[in-house]
């Protein structure tokens, strides 16, 4: 598996990179030299990716480059590079790497600023204003059963968790006595969310709530104001999101500006 991954990594880098000639060669295969610079380049790529240079890695890279030279020579001997299919594949690969280089240049020339990240974070904070609810529910298939459970809970609410474990059709919360943890109301289906926001802390619904999943008896355990994560915790995700959005806008701008005849 390690060797397969190494081969894949080398294949990508080989296709994308043109290395300068070097007086020092890694090896000579059937009279053709493999430049040391190519080997050094790949070792550097692995190191930058966090993989330390070890004797094992060095041996693997060297062997892979030698094997590739052997296979390339055989392919050339058979004149496979003269086929139309090969030429089309090479043209497509060249196009792919050129496009990648274009996008990389655009991102390098247009870095995401701290100001933009802060502005996006502020929007997120504004959207998160409101409340979180700690709730529980019991889900059953029929309204009559839900009404019977409510009547039973009105007599003795302490049975809620036991009933949830025994009768709830929601396997995730049912096993926990109906507990749903803390969530914003909008994370639930509309009917559930509306009923939840109308409940008082410590109360449960006096009528069953119907959703696409069945009939629910809801219990509001607690309620608190939402507190979004700190900026530092979200900064990497926000930066990535902004970079992806900026690149998509750049792509769309180029596409719309192009004169296309079909």
């Amino acid at each position: 598996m390690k060797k397969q991954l190494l081969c894949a990594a080398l294949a990508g880098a080989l296709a994308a990179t043109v290395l300068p000639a070097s007086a020092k060669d890694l090896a000579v295969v059937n009279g053709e030299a493999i430049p040391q610079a190519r080997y050094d380049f790949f070792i550097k790529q692995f190191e930058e990716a966090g993989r330390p240079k070890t004797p094992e890695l060095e041996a693997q890279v060297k062997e892979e480059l030698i094997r590739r030279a052997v296979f390339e020579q055989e392919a050339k001997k058979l004149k496979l590079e003269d086929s139309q299919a090969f030429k089309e594949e090479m043209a497509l690969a060249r196009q792919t790497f050129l496009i990648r280089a274009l996008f990389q240049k655009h991102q390098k020339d247009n870095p995401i600023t701290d100001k933009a990240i802060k502005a996006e974070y502020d929007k997120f904070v504004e959207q998160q204003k409101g409340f979180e609810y700690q709730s529980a529910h019991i889900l059953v298939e029929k309204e009559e059963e839900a009404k019977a459970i409510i009547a039973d809970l009105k007599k003795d609410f302490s049975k809620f968790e036991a009933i949830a474990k025994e009768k709830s059709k929601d396997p995730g919360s049912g096993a926990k006595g109906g507990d749903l943890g803390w969530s914003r109301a909008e994370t639930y289906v509309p009917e559930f969310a509306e009923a939840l926001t109308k409940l008082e802390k410590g109360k449960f619904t006096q009528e069953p709530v119907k959703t696409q999943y069945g009939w629910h008896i809801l219990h509001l355990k607690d309620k608190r104001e939402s507190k979004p994560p700190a900026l530092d915790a979200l900064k990497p995700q926000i930066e990535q999101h902004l970079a992806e959005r900026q690149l998509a806008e750049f792509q769309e701008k180029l596409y719309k500006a192009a004169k296309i005849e079909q």
Side-chain angles (χ1 to χ4, degrees):
M1 179 59 72
K2 285 184 179 179
K3 190 166 185 177
Q4 290 176 342
L5 292 174
L6 181 70
C7 292
L10 287 172
L14 274 168
T17 307
V18 176
L19 296 170
S22 172
K24 185 178 181 182
D25 299 327
L26 173 70
V28 178
V29 180
N30 296 324
E32 294 185 14
I34 301 174
Q36 178 70 27
R38 181 172 299 165
Y39 166 86
D40 294 339
F41 171 80
F42 290 126
I43 291 295
K44 182 179 178 182
Q45 297 303 301
F46 283 114
E47 289 180 320
E48 290 179 352
R51 183 171 175 181
K53 183 171 74 172
T54 63
E56 180 186 15
L57 176 62
E58 293 181 298
Q60 287 178 340
V61 170
K62 183 174 182 178
E63 181 183 356
E64 181 62 26
L65 290 176
I66 291 173
R67 284 179 175 272
R68 283 178 174 275
V70 171
F71 303 150
E72 180 187 18
Q73 290 173 14
E74 183 64 18
K76 286 181 176 179
K77 188 185 301 182
L78 296 173
K79 299 186 181 302
L80 297 181
E81 61 187 339
D82 295 336
S83 70
Q84 188 60 34
F86 177 81
K87 292 177 181 178
E88 291 296 334
E89 287 183 359
M90 287 299 294
L92 183 60
R94 180 178 181 277
Q95 182 189 58
T96 298
F97 291 122
L98 272 174
I99 291 171
R100 186 175 72 177
L102 171 67
F103 294 165
Q104 289 174 339
K105 183 179 187 305
H106 176 76
Q107 291 179 317
K108 181 179 180 181
D109 293 344
N110 299 275
I112 304 301
T113 64
D114 287 340
K115 182 179 179 180
I117 293 173
K118 179 62 166 59
E120 192 71 12
Y121 174 76
D122 290 342
K123 290 180 185 178
F124 170 75
V125 170
E126 186 65 28
Q127 293 170 353
Q128 292 299 304
K129 283 184 177 179
F131 294 94
E132 293 178 321
Y133 300 85
Q134 184 183 27
S135 61
H137 79 140
I138 300 170
L139 173 64
V140 295
E141 294 180 357
K142 298 180 179 180
E143 183 180 11
E144 294 78 9
E145 184 179 6
K147 286 183 175 180
I149 292 173
I150 289 174
D152 198 11
L153 291 174
K154 285 180 179 179
K155 298 175 184 177
D156 184 1
F157 180 74
S158 65
K159 295 180 179 180
F160 189 96
E161 289 189 12
I163 294 174
K165 290 179 180 179
E166 178 185 354
K167 297 184 177 182
S168 183
K169 301 301 180 183
D170 179 356
S173 67
K176 297 182 289 185
D179 185 56
L180 293 168
W182 286 95
S183 292
R184 292 175 60 86
E186 57 265 30
T187 61
Y188 301 114
V189 293
E191 304 90 342
F192 193 105
E194 182 180 0
L196 184 61
T197 56
K198 290 180 179 179
L199 276 175
E200 293 181 23
K201 179 180 174 181
K203 302 293 185 179
F204 67 95
T205 48
Q206 301 298 293
E207 293 292 334
V209 178
K210 189 179 188 305
T211 72
Q212 65 198 71
Y213 303 106
W215 296 86
H216 307 257
I217 301 96
L218 280 65
H219 168 45
L220 178 58
K221 295 182 174 182
D222 204 353
K223 177 180 175 181
R224 67 187 181 191
E225 288 191 15
S226 295
K227 292 184 178 180
L231 173 58
D232 288 345
L234 294 179
K235 187 174 181 179
Q237 296 96 308
I238 294 175
E239 185 173 11
Q240 181 179 352
H241 167 72
L242 289 176
E244 291 173 352
R245 187 171 71 188
Q246 180 177 269
L247 182 58
E249 291 171 353
F250 173 65
Q251 293 170 352
E252 193 64 16
K253 179 181 177 181
L254 290 178
Y255 181 78
K256 288 182 177 180
K259 183 180 179 181
I260 302 172
E261 300 176 6
Q262 300 188 45

